[in-house]
Amino acid sequence: MSPLAFLLAASIALNALLGWAWIDARDARTVAEQQRDQARADATAASDAVEALDDLAKKRAAAAKPVQAAARAAAVAAHQRARREISTPAAVAGNDYASAQARLQRWEERRTSP
């Protein structure tokens, strides 16, 4: 084989390798661009979803304010009733069981009355 044929064969082989390397690099770049574009789309969708959730949370917080205020008022009233009940002296002095029965009876009467 002549040196010129050898150089020509080596050049063809190197050109083929460079071609494959270029094609692989082009494919890798295309895949990377597609992944980048998908990541941007996913990030935009996530950002939009977070904004929607934030809006929903604000609406629910505004709707919950009156309910929370009513619950707070009910809790204060219940606390006051409990303090009043605890501070009430025993109905039957010296008999805890009878006092508890009287207290229970008062409680049931308050629950059944409108």
Side-chain angles (χ1 to χ4, degrees):
M1 189 159 147
S2 72
L4 186 59
F6 178 73
L7 289 174
L8 183 62
S11 175
I12 291 172
L14 287 174
N15 280 333
L17 287 173
L18 285 174
W20 278 316
W22 181 83
I23 289 172
D24 286 343
R26 183 197 63 188
D27 291 347
R29 187 186 76 208
T30 302
V31 168
E33 287 173 351
Q34 289 172 345
Q35 289 174 341
R36 179 202 61 203
D37 294 342
Q38 184 62 44
R40 282 183 181 163
D42 291 345
T44 301
S47 179
D48 292 345
V50 167
E51 286 179 20
L53 285 174
D54 186 46
D55 292 342
L56 180 62
K58 287 177 183 175
K59 288 177 186 175
R60 287 185 178 175
K65 291 224 183 265
V67 176
Q68 290 172 341
R72 207 173 292 110
V76 168
H79 179 71
Q80 289 172 347
R81 283 193 313 272
R83 298 292 281 170
R84 188 173 44 250
E85 191 66 36
I86 289 172
S87 65
T88 304
V92 180
N95 189 342
D96 291 339
Y97 181 73
S99 295
Q101 282 182 323
R103 186 174 285 181
L104 179 61
Q105 186 176 5
R106 279 195 319 268
W107 177 77
E108 287 176 343
E109 287 170 359
R110 279 194 305 255
R111 283 192 50 116
T112 57
S113 65

